[in-house]
Each structure stands twice: as C-alpha cells, then as structure tokens.
C-alpha cells in the first residue's frame, strides 16, 4: 500500500494476526520509509520552510498516523504559519495519540482557543492541563491565563503574529 512489503505484511497479519514477527517486520519497513521523510520535514521546519515541512509531516503521517511527535511537529509548523485552526486540530490529535507525552498540547490548544475568543473552552483546557501536569512546562502560564479570564472573560489574549511582533520591535 505505502511501500512494497507493507501490503504483503498486512496480508500476512490478516492470515496470522498472532505472529508478532509480521507486525514487527511491517513496522520496520514503515520506519525505513518514513525516517527520511521526517528528517527532510524537520530540516525544512528548521529552515523556516513551513509549507515544505507541513507537506513532509503530512506525508509521514500517512505512513505513521499514530506518531504523536509527528502530529506535534505538524501543529508547530502550522502555528508558525499562523494557521492556528489547523494547528489546534493537530495539537488535539497529538494529545489524543499520546495524552501523557503530549500533555503540554492542552495548554497550546487553550492559547489558540483563547485567541479565537472561545474562552470557556480555553479555560477548560488550562484547568485540565494544570490538573494533569501541575509542574508542567506551561503550568504558571496556564494558571495566569485562567485567573485573568476568571477576572475578565471578555478580555482574551490574542496570539501575536510575526508581522505584529516585527512592528513592535521597530517601535522600540
């Protein structure tokens, strides 16, 4: 299906689903196919070629749809392109695939929801994040944003895009 060999291993697994050697071999073939795609996507991401990175991550996700790190990388590239709606969807998928390893994504989803004035949803994500990761990377920020929204739910924080940040720097 994706690579010669994967379809054969899928067929073998269909005939003998208990044979771990078949599933291990299939995963090995997938990894061999996806690793260069991921490496190229990461290189593009680091070079700020976000469109190219997004294409690469999406291609890799066709092969490894349960790779939470790929979903996170896709979200990060979409966020950098200021495509916040798609970034939020990809952060959500990363969290669904690996809730413990991707718990920080809850905070990032909250930031995006707050940006789009979805205050109750943002607060729910901040609270869930603080509950699941009380000492997490973004715990102080989540607490701060939740407190601010409790005080004034009509004053959500909006994400500053690259142009806005550049204008602020010129003004300094």
């Amino acid at each position: 299906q994706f690579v010669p060999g994967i379809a054969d291993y899928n067929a073998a697994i269909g005939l003998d689903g208990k044979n771990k050697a078949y599933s291990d071999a299939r995963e090995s073939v997938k990894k061999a196919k996806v690793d260069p795609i991921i490496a190229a996507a990461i290189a593009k991401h680091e070079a700020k070629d976000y469109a190219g990175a997004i294409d690469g991550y999406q291609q890799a996700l066709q092969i490894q749809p349960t790779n939470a790190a790929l979903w996170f990388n896709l979200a990060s590239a979409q966020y950098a392109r200021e495509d916040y709606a798609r970034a939020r969807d990809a952060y959500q998928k990363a969290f669904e695939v690996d809730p413990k390893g991707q718990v920080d994504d809850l905070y990032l989803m909250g930031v995006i929801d707050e940006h789009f004035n979805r205050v109750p949803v943002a607060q729910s994500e901040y609270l869930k994040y603080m509950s699941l990761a009380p000492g997490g990377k973004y715990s102080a920020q989540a607490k701060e944003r939740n407190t601010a929204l409790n005080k004034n739910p009509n004053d959500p924080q909006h994400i500053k895009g690259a142009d806005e940040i550049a204008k602020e720097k010129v003004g300094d």
Side-chain angles (χ1 to χ4, degrees), residues 86-114:
R86 284 191 175 99
R88 195 224 178 272
D89 291 344
Y91 284 130
Q92 174 75 43
K93 186 64 178 176
F95 179 72
E96 289 170 2
V97 169
D98 182 7
K100 288 182 182 175
Q102 295 292 323
V103 71
D104 289 343
D105 295 350
L106 285 169
Y107 171 76
L108 300 170
M109 292 184 309
V111 167
I112 294 169
D113 284 324
E114 187 175 351

mmCIF file of all heavy atoms in Angstrom, residues 86-114:
data_model
loop_
_atom_site.group_PDB
_atom_site.id
_atom_site.type_symbol
_atom_site.label_atom_id
_atom_site.label_comp_id
_atom_site.label_asym_id
_atom_site.label_seq_id
_atom_site.Cartn_x
_atom_site.Cartn_y
_atom_site.Cartn_z
ATOM 1 N N ARG A 86 -5.803 24.963 12.089
ATOM 2 C CA ARG A 86 -5.236 23.649 11.764
ATOM 3 C C ARG A 86 -4.218 23.210 12.814
ATOM 4 O O ARG A 86 -4.122 22.025 13.140
ATOM 5 C CB ARG A 86 -4.604 23.669 10.375
ATOM 6 C CG ARG A 86 -5.632 23.622 9.267
ATOM 7 C CD ARG A 86 -4.977 23.364 7.915
ATOM 8 N NE ARG A 86 -5.962 23.209 6.887
ATOM 9 C CZ ARG A 86 -6.327 24.171 6.047
ATOM 10 N NH1 ARG A 86 -5.754 25.366 6.107
ATOM 11 N NH2 ARG A 86 -7.240 23.947 5.121
ATOM 12 N N ALA A 87 -3.469 24.160 13.336
ATOM 13 C CA ALA A 87 -2.502 23.825 14.389
ATOM 14 C C ALA A 87 -3.233 23.248 15.591
ATOM 15 O O ALA A 87 -2.811 22.244 16.167
ATOM 16 C CB ALA A 87 -1.700 25.061 14.794
ATOM 17 N N ARG A 88 -4.345 23.847 15.950
ATOM 18 C CA ARG A 88 -5.104 23.363 17.097
ATOM 19 C C ARG A 88 -5.569 21.925 16.859
ATOM 20 O O ARG A 88 -5.495 21.082 17.740
ATOM 21 C CB ARG A 88 -6.301 24.266 17.377
ATOM 22 C CG ARG A 88 -6.886 24.009 18.762
ATOM 23 C CD ARG A 88 -8.418 23.950 18.711
ATOM 24 N NE ARG A 88 -8.930 23.662 20.034
ATOM 25 C CZ ARG A 88 -9.101 22.426 20.497
ATOM 26 N NH1 ARG A 88 -8.794 21.373 19.759
ATOM 27 N NH2 ARG A 88 -9.584 22.213 21.706
ATOM 28 N N ASP A 89 -6.063 21.653 15.653
ATOM 29 C CA ASP A 89 -6.510 20.286 15.329
ATOM 30 C C ASP A 89 -5.366 19.282 15.452
ATOM 31 O O ASP A 89 -5.552 18.174 15.960
ATOM 32 C CB ASP A 89 -7.094 20.235 13.911
ATOM 33 C CG ASP A 89 -8.408 20.980 13.777
ATOM 34 O OD1 ASP A 89 -9.060 21.295 14.802
ATOM 35 O OD2 ASP A 89 -8.793 21.267 12.621
ATOM 36 N N ALA A 90 -4.176 19.677 14.996
ATOM 37 C CA ALA A 90 -3.027 18.767 15.057
ATOM 38 C C ALA A 90 -2.547 18.592 16.505
ATOM 39 O O ALA A 90 -2.163 17.487 16.893
ATOM 40 C CB ALA A 90 -1.898 19.264 14.157
ATOM 41 N N TYR A 91 -2.566 19.662 17.299
ATOM 42 C CA TYR A 91 -2.225 19.511 18.728
ATOM 43 C C TYR A 91 -3.214 18.565 19.401
ATOM 44 O O TYR A 91 -2.826 17.719 20.212
ATOM 45 C CB TYR A 91 -2.259 20.857 19.455
ATOM 46 C CG TYR A 91 -1.077 21.757 19.200
ATOM 47 C CD1 TYR A 91 -1.270 23.085 18.834
ATOM 48 C CD2 TYR A 91 0.236 21.314 19.357
ATOM 49 C CE1 TYR A 91 -0.201 23.939 18.622
ATOM 50 C CE2 TYR A 91 1.317 22.152 19.136
ATOM 51 C CZ TYR A 91 1.085 23.472 18.769
ATOM 52 O OH TYR A 91 2.156 24.319 18.557
ATOM 53 N N GLN A 92 -4.491 18.700 19.045
ATOM 54 C CA GLN A 92 -5.526 17.817 19.612
ATOM 55 C C GLN A 92 -5.234 16.358 19.259
ATOM 56 O O GLN A 92 -5.309 15.477 20.109
ATOM 57 C CB GLN A 92 -6.908 18.218 19.092
ATOM 58 C CG GLN A 92 -8.037 17.290 19.498
ATOM 59 C CD GLN A 92 -8.435 17.456 20.944
ATOM 60 O OE1 GLN A 92 -8.537 18.566 21.422
ATOM 61 N NE2 GLN A 92 -8.668 16.359 21.641
ATOM 62 N N LYS A 93 -4.879 16.125 18.011
ATOM 63 C CA LYS A 93 -4.587 14.759 17.573
ATOM 64 C C LYS A 93 -3.354 14.213 18.301
ATOM 65 O O LYS A 93 -3.352 13.057 18.735
ATOM 66 C CB LYS A 93 -4.383 14.727 16.051
ATOM 67 C CG LYS A 93 -4.222 13.343 15.493
ATOM 68 C CD LYS A 93 -5.459 12.507 15.666
ATOM 69 C CE LYS A 93 -5.257 11.140 15.047
ATOM 70 N NZ LYS A 93 -6.383 10.258 15.264
ATOM 71 N N ALA A 94 -2.319 15.039 18.460
ATOM 72 C CA ALA A 94 -1.118 14.597 19.184
ATOM 73 C C ALA A 94 -1.484 14.199 20.609
ATOM 74 O O ALA A 94 -1.031 13.161 21.108
ATOM 75 C CB ALA A 94 -0.062 15.701 19.195
ATOM 76 N N PHE A 95 -2.325 14.996 21.253
ATOM 77 C CA PHE A 95 -2.737 14.701 22.619
ATOM 78 C C PHE A 95 -3.564 13.417 22.676
ATOM 79 O O PHE A 95 -3.394 12.603 23.578
ATOM 80 C CB PHE A 95 -3.523 15.878 23.213
ATOM 81 C CG PHE A 95 -4.007 15.621 24.610
ATOM 82 C CD1 PHE A 95 -3.116 15.609 25.671
ATOM 83 C CD2 PHE A 95 -5.341 15.380 24.861
ATOM 84 C CE1 PHE A 95 -3.551 15.345 26.965
ATOM 85 C CE2 PHE A 95 -5.796 15.120 26.147
ATOM 86 C CZ PHE A 95 -4.894 15.110 27.206
ATOM 87 N N GLU A 96 -4.449 13.223 21.712
ATOM 88 C CA GLU A 96 -5.268 12.006 21.676
ATOM 89 C C GLU A 96 -4.399 10.760 21.510
ATOM 90 O O GLU A 96 -4.661 9.721 22.106
ATOM 91 C CB GLU A 96 -6.295 12.080 20.544
ATOM 92 C CG GLU A 96 -7.412 13.063 20.801
ATOM 93 C CD GLU A 96 -8.286 13.305 19.577
ATOM 94 O OE1 GLU A 96 -8.054 12.676 18.510
ATOM 95 O OE2 GLU A 96 -9.203 14.145 19.685
ATOM 96 N N VAL A 97 -3.366 10.858 20.682
ATOM 97 C CA VAL A 97 -2.490 9.722 20.420
ATOM 98 C C VAL A 97 -1.630 9.396 21.647
ATOM 99 O O VAL A 97 -1.413 8.232 21.960
ATOM 100 C CB VAL A 97 -1.601 9.997 19.180
ATOM 101 C CG1 VAL A 97 -0.503 8.960 19.036
ATOM 102 C CG2 VAL A 97 -2.455 10.028 17.906
ATOM 103 N N ASP A 98 -1.165 10.438 22.349
ATOM 104 C CA ASP A 98 -0.271 10.225 23.500
ATOM 105 C C ASP A 98 -0.585 11.251 24.592
ATOM 106 O O ASP A 98 0.120 12.259 24.725
ATOM 107 C CB ASP A 98 1.188 10.346 23.051
ATOM 108 C CG ASP A 98 2.177 10.091 24.176
ATOM 109 O OD1 ASP A 98 1.768 9.690 25.291
ATOM 110 O OD2 ASP A 98 3.387 10.316 23.943
ATOM 111 N N PRO A 99 -1.650 11.023 25.369
ATOM 112 C CA PRO A 99 -2.070 12.016 26.364
ATOM 113 C C PRO A 99 -0.996 12.339 27.413
ATOM 114 O O PRO A 99 -0.900 13.488 27.839
ATOM 115 C CB PRO A 99 -3.286 11.389 27.034
ATOM 116 C CG PRO A 99 -3.705 10.260 26.177
ATOM 117 C CD PRO A 99 -2.529 9.872 25.336
ATOM 118 N N LYS A 100 -0.211 11.375 27.801
ATOM 119 C CA LYS A 100 0.825 11.660 28.807
ATOM 120 C C LYS A 100 2.010 12.391 28.194
ATOM 121 O O LYS A 100 2.503 13.363 28.762
ATOM 122 C CB LYS A 100 1.290 10.359 29.468
ATOM 123 C CG LYS A 100 0.254 9.770 30.396
ATOM 124 C CD LYS A 100 0.755 8.516 31.075
ATOM 125 C CE LYS A 100 -0.357 7.942 31.948
ATOM 126 N NZ LYS A 100 0.016 6.666 32.541
ATOM 127 N N GLY A 101 2.460 11.934 27.063
ATOM 128 C CA GLY A 101 3.631 12.537 26.427
ATOM 129 C C GLY A 101 3.358 13.883 25.784
ATOM 130 O O GLY A 101 4.279 14.673 25.583
ATOM 131 N N GLN A 102 2.115 14.146 25.469
ATOM 132 C CA GLN A 102 1.755 15.388 24.783
ATOM 133 C C GLN A 102 0.847 16.274 25.636
ATOM 134 O O GLN A 102 0.071 17.070 25.120
ATOM 135 C CB GLN A 102 1.080 15.068 23.444
ATOM 136 C CG GLN A 102 1.985 14.384 22.436
ATOM 137 C CD GLN A 102 3.094 15.278 21.940
ATOM 138 O OE1 GLN A 102 2.917 16.473 21.746
ATOM 139 N NE2 GLN A 102 4.267 14.708 21.728
ATOM 140 N N VAL A 103 0.947 16.152 26.943
ATOM 141 C CA VAL A 103 0.063 16.913 27.835
ATOM 142 C C VAL A 103 0.219 18.423 27.642
ATOM 143 O O VAL A 103 -0.755 19.169 27.790
ATOM 144 C CB VAL A 103 0.255 16.494 29.311
ATOM 145 C CG1 VAL A 103 1.599 16.963 29.856
ATOM 146 C CG2 VAL A 103 -0.887 16.972 30.172
ATOM 147 N N ASP A 104 1.414 18.899 27.277
ATOM 148 C CA ASP A 104 1.619 20.334 27.056
ATOM 149 C C ASP A 104 0.729 20.869 25.940
ATOM 150 O O ASP A 104 0.434 22.071 25.888
ATOM 151 C CB ASP A 104 3.081 20.635 26.726
ATOM 152 C CG ASP A 104 4.006 20.472 27.921
ATOM 153 O OD1 ASP A 104 3.520 20.450 29.073
ATOM 154 O OD2 ASP A 104 5.234 20.362 27.702
ATOM 155 N N ASP A 105 0.292 19.989 25.060
ATOM 156 C CA ASP A 105 -0.576 20.412 23.958
ATOM 157 C C ASP A 105 -1.896 20.986 24.468
ATOM 158 O O ASP A 105 -2.508 21.812 23.793
ATOM 159 C CB ASP A 105 -0.846 19.254 22.996
ATOM 160 C CG ASP A 105 0.412 18.790 22.286
ATOM 161 O OD1 ASP A 105 1.456 19.473 22.387
ATOM 162 O OD2 ASP A 105 0.371 17.736 21.633
ATOM 163 N N LEU A 106 -2.327 20.562 25.637
ATOM 164 C CA LEU A 106 -3.556 21.131 26.219
ATOM 165 C C LEU A 106 -3.409 22.634 26.419
ATOM 166 O O LEU A 106 -4.328 23.407 26.118
ATOM 167 C CB LEU A 106 -3.882 20.467 27.557
ATOM 168 C CG LEU A 106 -4.464 19.073 27.498
ATOM 169 C CD1 LEU A 106 -4.487 18.456 28.894
ATOM 170 C CD2 LEU A 106 -5.863 19.100 26.899
ATOM 171 N N TYR A 107 -2.268 23.040 26.938
ATOM 172 C CA TYR A 107 -2.031 24.477 27.116
ATOM 173 C C TYR A 107 -2.033 25.179 25.760
ATOM 174 O O TYR A 107 -2.656 26.234 25.603
ATOM 175 C CB TYR A 107 -0.705 24.730 27.844
ATOM 176 C CG TYR A 107 -0.349 26.191 27.838
ATOM 177 C CD1 TYR A 107 -0.993 27.092 28.683
ATOM 178 C CD2 TYR A 107 0.613 26.696 26.960
ATOM 179 C CE1 TYR A 107 -0.697 28.436 28.652
ATOM 180 C CE2 TYR A 107 0.922 28.042 26.931
ATOM 181 C CZ TYR A 107 0.267 28.912 27.775
ATOM 182 O OH TYR A 107 0.561 30.255 27.737
ATOM 183 N N LEU A 108 -1.353 24.610 24.782
ATOM 184 C CA LEU A 108 -1.265 25.236 23.457
ATOM 185 C C LEU A 108 -2.640 25.323 22.798
ATOM 186 O O LEU A 108 -2.959 26.327 22.141
ATOM 187 C CB LEU A 108 -0.275 24.469 22.591
ATOM 188 C CG LEU A 108 1.158 24.429 23.157
ATOM 189 C CD1 LEU A 108 2.020 23.449 22.382
ATOM 190 C CD2 LEU A 108 1.771 25.809 23.191
ATOM 191 N N MET A 109 -3.465 24.296 22.993
ATOM 192 C CA MET A 109 -4.840 24.355 22.469
ATOM 193 C C MET A 109 -5.608 25.466 23.176
ATOM 194 O O MET A 109 -6.396 26.180 22.556
ATOM 195 C CB MET A 109 -5.540 23.008 22.627
ATOM 196 C CG MET A 109 -4.954 21.937 21.734
ATOM 197 S SD MET A 109 -5.792 20.330 21.782
ATOM 198 C CE MET A 109 -5.907 19.946 23.505
ATOM 199 N N GLY A 110 -5.392 25.621 24.481
ATOM 200 C CA GLY A 110 -6.042 26.690 25.228
ATOM 201 C C GLY A 110 -5.667 28.061 24.688
ATOM 202 O O GLY A 110 -6.519 28.939 24.538
ATOM 203 N N VAL A 111 -4.395 28.253 24.387
ATOM 204 C CA VAL A 111 -3.929 29.529 23.829
ATOM 205 C C VAL A 111 -4.658 29.824 22.519
ATOM 206 O O VAL A 111 -5.123 30.941 22.280
ATOM 207 C CB VAL A 111 -2.395 29.500 23.615
ATOM 208 C CG1 VAL A 111 -1.924 30.673 22.765
ATOM 209 C CG2 VAL A 111 -1.675 29.476 24.959
ATOM 210 N N ILE A 112 -4.760 28.815 21.675
ATOM 211 C CA ILE A 112 -5.428 29.008 20.379
ATOM 212 C C ILE A 112 -6.919 29.261 20.581
ATOM 213 O O ILE A 112 -7.487 30.153 19.944
ATOM 214 C CB ILE A 112 -5.161 27.811 19.441
ATOM 215 C CG1 ILE A 112 -3.671 27.756 19.077
ATOM 216 C CG2 ILE A 112 -6.039 27.888 18.195
ATOM 217 C CD1 ILE A 112 -3.237 26.482 18.373
ATOM 218 N N ASP A 113 -7.556 28.502 21.454
ATOM 219 C CA ASP A 113 -8.980 28.728 21.703
ATOM 220 C C ASP A 113 -9.216 30.116 22.283
ATOM 221 O O ASP A 113 -10.186 30.789 21.922
ATOM 222 C CB ASP A 113 -9.552 27.639 22.607
ATOM 223 C CG ASP A 113 -9.778 26.340 21.854
ATOM 224 O OD1 ASP A 113 -10.158 26.398 20.669
ATOM 225 O OD2 ASP A 113 -9.564 25.270 22.441
ATOM 226 N N GLU A 114 -8.341 30.546 23.156
ATOM 227 C CA GLU A 114 -8.468 31.902 23.704
ATOM 228 C C GLU A 114 -8.318 32.930 22.579
ATOM 229 O O GLU A 114 -9.067 33.909 22.522
ATOM 230 C CB GLU A 114 -7.409 32.121 24.788
ATOM 231 C CG GLU A 114 -7.573 33.422 25.518
ATOM 232 C CD GLU A 114 -6.604 33.611 26.669
ATOM 233 O OE1 GLU A 114 -5.872 32.667 27.058
ATOM 234 O OE2 GLU A 114 -6.588 34.747 27.205
#
